Every structure is written in structure tokens, then in C-alpha cells.
Amino acid sequence: MHTVIQMAALRAAAQAVAAITYGAELCKLSLDGIEVRGAEARGGDILGDIAVWVSGVAAIDRMRFGSPAGSGWTYDFDYDDDQRYDLAAAAQLAEEADPKDERDLLYTAWVWATDLMADESAWASIEGMAQLIEMAAPPVEHKGEEEED
């Protein structure tokens, strides 16, 4: 069983690797996700933006099921809140960029993201970055635990 923090770190790490792959300049990386420096930093590539959103979803699916399969695999339609938020944001970007869905941007980004998760070198980078994000995260206080002197 993976913790919420582990899943958040993996989501952020996958988004970061996807953004860097598309040439983005990161200005924030945390358990909350990533922030990039404006469209100029990523060349205004809408497919890259959509791929960043869905990469976190694909990474969590790979972590849950361990499958390195690529090219659009889908295992879990019982997404958590972060995954649903990311998919909705990606769908909104795709709809705004291609209202008639002539380019099928969401599907194209999903296939790219799942192929990235299937790449063992990329996956090792994502896992390593996720561990660093977890280590840099502030400690979480648990209710009901007593503090030691």
C-alpha cells in the first residue's frame, strides 16, 4: 500500500519529467505538483501541456499495478481526486485548443504519457525524483500521536 505522500510525490515527479522532456523550465516542484515559467519556456506546445497533466495519472497507475506496458494502457477507472483533477484539466486544455477534436490531443497525450511510464530509464528517473520530493516535504503531523520530549 502506498501512502498519500508517496503518490503525490510520484505524480509531481512524473509531471516534472514530462515537462522537462517537452522543454519546460520548472520554477516549482513539490507534493502539490509543478509550475513552469510561462508558455515561452515550453514553446507554447499545447500537446506538451496536456501530456504533463496526464503523466501524473499514468505514473500513479503504473505504481499501483506495476505494468510497464505502453501505448495507452488503462487499468484503473477508479481515479483519486488528484487524478480526476489532472484529467479534467487536460481535457479542458484539449477542448480549448481543438474544439472539434480533430487532432485527438487528449488521447495522443495519454499514449505519449503511458509510453513514457513504460520507458524503464524514464521510470527510474521518476522514482528517484519522487524520493527526493518526499524527503524535501515538510513532516506531516498525525492526530492522536503524542510528541516525544
Side-chain angles (χ1 to χ4, degrees):
M1 188 80 167
H2 300 285
T3 68
V4 172
I5 291 175
Q6 288 172 322
M7 290 176 45
L10 189 71
R11 172 182 170 256
Q15 289 175 338
V17 169
I20 291 166
T21 301
Y22 269 96
E25 182 181 342
L26 298 179
C27 63
K28 180 182 174 191
L29 175 60
S30 71
L31 290 174
D32 294 328
I34 67 168
E35 288 181 21
V36 297
R37 293 194 196 278
E40 304 80 41
R42 61 187 188 291
D45 186 345
I46 193 67
L47 183 59
D49 290 351
I50 297 166
V52 167
W53 282 107
V54 299
S55 289
V57 177
I60 291 172
D61 276 358
R62 172 153 182 187
M63 179 181 67
R64 285 180 178 161
F65 299 102
S67 173
S71 294
W73 52 271
T74 303
Y75 282 101
D76 184 10
F77 290 105
D78 185 23
Y79 294 125
D80 64 28
D81 289 342
D82 286 335
Q83 288 178 299
R84 282 191 293 277
Y85 175 82
D86 290 349
L87 289 171
Q92 181 178 350
L93 282 175
E95 185 177 345
E96 290 170 1
D98 185 20
K100 294 182 182 179
D101 200 26
E102 295 172 338
R103 297 185 291 165
D104 208 1
L105 293 171
L106 187 58
Y107 177 73
T108 302
W110 179 251
V111 169
W112 182 88
T114 56
D115 285 346
L116 181 66
M117 297 311 118
D119 182 298
E120 294 302 328
S121 295
W123 184 249
S125 297
I126 291 166
E127 287 184 314
M129 190 179 296
Q131 289 175 349
L132 293 174
I133 294 167
E134 280 183 69
M135 291 187 323
V140 177
E141 292 183 28
H142 298 282
K143 291 182 179 182
E145 290 184 6
E146 295 182 26
E147 292 183 16
E148 293 183 30
D149 293 324

